[in-house]
Amino acid sequence: MKSTVEQLSPTRVRINVEVPFAELKSDFDKAYKALAQQIRLPGFRPGKAPARLLEARVGRGAVLEQVVNDALPSRYSEAVTSAGVKAIGQPEIEVTKIEDGELLEFTAEVDVRPEIELPDFSSINVEVDPIEITDEAIEEQLLSLRQRFGTLTGVDRAVEDGDFVSIDLSATVDGENVAEATASGLSHEVGSGQLIEGLDEAIIGLKAGESKDFTSTLVAGEYAGKEAVVTVTVQTVKERELPAEDDEFAQLASEFDTLEELKADLRERVARVRKVEQAGQIRDKVLEQLLETVEVPLPEAVVKAEVDAALHDAVHGLDHDEEALNKLLEEQGSSREEFDKDAQEAAERSVKTQLLLDSIADAGNVTVGQDELTERILFQAQRYGMAPEQFIQQIQQANQLGAVFADVRRGKALASVVESAGVKDTSGAVVDTAELFGSSEEKTGGGVFVPAERKKKKKQGWVGVLPKIDGVGFSFWSEGGRHWHSGPPLLRYCLCQ
């Protein structure tokens, strides 16, 4: 087989391939064998009919068509490999010549990864926010922990900010009832602002059984964007009683015996979280500067595929009805033009980022070990609340294992850039990125979820410590299948893409 490559653009090539018929013998044998299983000829057992009789039955053209269709994918892959073409996306293949018994010729146009001129990474300089740990932040964490152990108690008084209420809602627009804005028995935390605008202000001061009308602009449905008269009726009022800040609470909520020990631990946790947040800011700013300074030609077909995927995701829950999508966008105060523009910009940025980080990984000979890939899979499974084996099965069925591998490799590539970049905080202090991101061996681009080590038994459960989740340790108390975390929410590892 012979092949040549024509460079059509920085991101696209045409591969010309010539395959002598002598190299297609195995493909012909396979085609004849398949036909013999499908066609019954008198005097021959199934699968034993000779090739010449099979050709006489179906015609030489049908045999050639089958052979060519079967041969093209493997011959294309062979040509790509032998030429060292870094193909991305699906090829457009065209058979240009078939000389029966002599030669098969075809061309394949495909997008390729462009050559990218990388800068000196030490020339990259970014400025980030300093790490600040205030007493207010510690108290906020302690309050959050107390709220998790708080109890709701019914009260016979008017609603106050912070109460928990059960309410009924109804609404009218120009005297017409709005069905989608009618609900009964809704639970709501007053002051959270999670339901209708103006609701919290209207509820405060009402007692159980009392109602009040207020106006609000509807944001969805048939009357989206219109002002409605909303009626709220309070059914029940409850307040949250928080446990006292004392040693008994520390023992209940953590592995510590005193409140001071718990507060000291919360301070350490806040410090670690602030470091993770700063690391994420460094990552984002370094990547942003790379994208602004490095020229990356974009393969049109790959970008289009990303845009098409975004549209598919948007209409998937709408029975793939684009008119329904257009209507929904209008109800949300947007338009299809804005959606298409945003999708195009997001696709271009995504493709540019991937191509750039892949080039950096190639230049640095970045590799991904089995342990690193396993860590990312475990981390992603934990993020989605799935068992690792279930998550692995899903990504294998979706043929996404290669994408996970690529993400880990890109995360390591970006970490290597961060290591070389100059980083200061806004006060002018140099930030030690090695301390934030760890050694090169640790920059896997994914977190690791390590099973908890049991430390000591407390009351009816176990106090445990998660040695490292995204580089941050977390303690918890497990009782009867319930897990109380004394640390902040789990955070994405700072190099995840």
Side-chain angles (χ1 to χ4, degrees), residues 9 13 47 51 65 79 108-109 127 129 181 207 233 238-239 257 267 279 305 310 320 328 332 358 361 394 400 445:
S9 74
V13 299
E65 182 179 0
E109 289 192 15
E127 187 178 71
D129 297 328
K207 292 184 177 181
T233 301
K238 295 181 180 181
E239 67 178 5
D257 294 321
R267 181 172 292 276
H320 297 277
L328 178 62
Q332 296 174 346
D358 284 341
Q394 286 199 5
Q400 290 296 307

Side-chain angles (χ1 to χ4, degrees), residues 350-420:
S350 174
V351 173
K352 184 175 182 178
T353 300
Q354 293 176 42
L355 292 175
L356 177 56
L357 294 180
D358 284 341
S359 294
I360 294 172
D362 287 347
N365 295 317
V366 174
T367 59
V368 176
Q370 182 63 46
D371 290 345
E372 295 171 328
L373 187 61
T374 300
E375 286 178 1
R376 168 58 74 87
I377 290 173
L378 291 175
F379 172 71
Q380 294 284 53
Q382 185 268 332
R383 278 186 62 203
Y384 291 108
M386 300 170 62
E389 59 272 16
Q390 181 186 4
F391 182 76
I392 291 173
Q393 183 179 19
Q394 286 199 5
I395 62 176
Q396 285 178 333
Q397 290 175 348
N399 198 28
Q400 290 296 307
L401 192 58
V404 176
F405 175 91
D407 280 347
V408 176
R409 189 168 182 260
R410 289 166 186 151
K412 292 183 69 175
L414 181 54
S416 68
V417 179
V418 169
E419 189 175 28
S420 301

Side-chain angles (χ1 to χ4, degrees), residues 129-133 270-272 274-276 278 425 431 436:
D129 297 328
I131 294 176
E132 296 180 348
I133 306 167
V270 170
R272 290 195 290 267
R274 294 291 184 268
K275 287 183 178 181
V276 171
Q278 188 184 66
D425 64 27
V431 178
L436 287 173

Side-chain angles (χ1 to χ4, degrees), residues 161-207:
D161 192 23
D163 285 342
F164 290 79
V165 295
S166 175
I167 58 175
D168 297 339
L169 288 175
S170 62
T172 61
V173 173
D174 297 331
E176 296 288 333
N177 288 325
V178 182
E180 57 263 37
T182 301
S184 300
L186 280 178
S187 296
H188 177 62
E189 180 182 1
V190 181
S192 64
Q194 293 180 347
L195 291 178
I196 301 174
E197 183 180 356
L199 174 64
D200 289 331
E201 293 80 1
I203 290 178
I204 293 177
L206 297 182
K207 292 184 177 181

Side-chain angles (χ1 to χ4, degrees), residues 263-390:
K263 285 186 174 182
D265 182 68
L266 290 176
R267 181 172 292 276
E268 292 179 4
R269 294 176 190 281
V270 170
R272 290 195 290 267
V273 170
R274 294 291 184 268
K275 287 183 178 181
V276 171
E277 292 172 346
Q278 188 184 66
Q281 192 178 22
I282 293 171
R283 173 210 62 197
D284 293 344
K285 290 200 170 187
V286 167
L287 178 59
E288 190 66 34
Q289 192 171 134
L290 277 172
L291 293 174
E292 289 176 356
T293 58
V294 179
E295 183 177 353
V296 180
L298 295 178
E300 293 183 7
V302 177
V303 172
K304 184 178 184 303
E306 289 262 344
V307 173
D308 291 343
L311 176 60
H312 177 274
D313 291 343
V315 301
H316 181 68
L318 303 171
D319 295 327
H320 297 277
D321 185 348
E322 292 195 33
E323 285 301 320
L325 172 62
N326 296 341
K327 183 177 179 181
L328 178 62
L329 291 170
E330 290 178 5
E331 292 173 351
Q332 296 174 346
S334 183
S335 67
R336 180 58 184 272
E337 289 74 18
E338 290 182 39
F339 174 87
D340 291 342
K341 180 176 179 291
D342 291 343
Q344 181 71 25
E345 291 176 353
E348 290 177 355
R349 179 182 173 86
S350 174
V351 173
K352 184 175 182 178
T353 300
Q354 293 176 42
L355 292 175
L356 177 56
L357 294 180
D358 284 341
S359 294
I360 294 172
D362 287 347
N365 295 317
V366 174
T367 59
V368 176
Q370 182 63 46
D371 290 345
E372 295 171 328
L373 187 61
T374 300
E375 286 178 1
R376 168 58 74 87
I377 290 173
L378 291 175
F379 172 71
Q380 294 284 53
Q382 185 268 332
R383 278 186 62 203
Y384 291 108
M386 300 170 62
E389 59 272 16
Q390 181 186 4

Side-chain angles (χ1 to χ4, degrees), residues 246-247 250 256-266:
D246 53 24
D247 293 345
F256 302 106
D257 294 321
T258 68
L259 182 63
E260 288 306 311
E261 289 176 325
L262 174 57
K263 285 186 174 182
D265 182 68
L266 290 176

